[in-house]
Amino acid sequence: MSKAVLQSIQTILSTIPALRYVDEDWGQLDDYSPNPPTQFPLVLIDIGNLQFSDIGKDRTATPQNRQMATGTIVLSIANLKLTNTSARAPQPQKDKAWSIWDIVESVHGKLHGVAVGGSAGAMMRTNMRKVKRDDGIQEYEVTYTIGMTNV
């Protein structure tokens, strides 16, 4: 089930033209500075946590004990920010430097309220935080809550 959810999110986000890399998060932005094995801008997808509860048995399924899962999907949205957005910077430079916000909105527009596969319910955004970095990569983690049944 988790694999199907991750693959579905990847397929959905791959339709955003501005993104050059969409993959499962296996640590691409960790400890690879200054050359992470990615292209920018990017979205990395991971399961933050899932909590399971029992909902009964289905003797025709394997395993027979059925569960419901609720948890989080964490998206790391990142871009190289090599120019500033100061008031006196040329407008094309500022537009490029602000582009991560367009990507954050595009990702949200594609995923918020969307059921992403199988018995998964709709993804609902619940949190966003800036990741402090010292390598010129501008990164935000956006968390969505998701529920799945009969897993």
Side-chain angles (χ1 to χ4, degrees):
M1 173 49 58
S2 298
K3 175 182 166 184
V5 167
L6 294 172
Q7 289 174 329
S8 178
I9 294 168
Q10 182 182 38
T11 300
I12 292 167
L13 295 182
S14 293
T15 65
I16 298 174
L19 292 174
R20 296 188 61 203
Y21 187 86
V22 179
D23 198 2
E24 182 180 10
D25 188 346
W26 48 264
Q28 296 95 315
L29 296 179
D30 302 332
D31 302 323
Y32 285 100
S33 188
N35 298 308
T38 63
Q39 294 181 328
F40 292 95
L42 64 80
V43 175
L44 301 177
I45 310 159
D46 203 0
I47 294 175
N49 68 57
L50 290 175
Q51 296 182 346
F52 296 90
S53 59
D54 293 330
I55 58 173
K57 288 190 177 196
D58 180 350
R59 297 195 189 285
T60 65
T62 302
Q64 291 183 1
N65 292 325
R66 303 281 81 198
Q67 292 184 306
M68 180 171 62
T70 56
T72 58
I73 303 291
V74 179
L75 304 178
S76 295
I77 302 170
N79 198 10
L80 284 175
K81 185 168 182 175
L82 303 175
T83 60
N84 68 53
T85 52
S86 73
R88 296 189 189 263
Q91 191 60 47
Q93 176 181 317
K94 291 194 299 189
D95 292 344
K96 186 171 182 165
W98 287 108
S99 67
I100 195 164
W101 295 108
D102 297 329
I103 294 167
V104 168
E105 286 303 312
S106 294
V107 167
H108 181 64
K110 293 280 187 182
L111 292 179
H112 188 72
V114 173
V116 289
S119 61
M123 292 183 57
M124 302 302 284
R125 182 175 58 184
T126 56
N127 189 37
M128 183 170 128
R129 75 175 191 93
K130 179 172 182 55
V131 177
K132 293 278 190 179
R133 301 185 62 95
D134 63 0
D135 57 5
I137 296 173
Q138 185 179 25
E139 180 181 1
Y140 291 89
E141 284 184 353
V142 182
T143 303
Y144 287 82
T145 300
I146 191 168
M148 296 178 265
T149 57
N150 290 332
V151 295

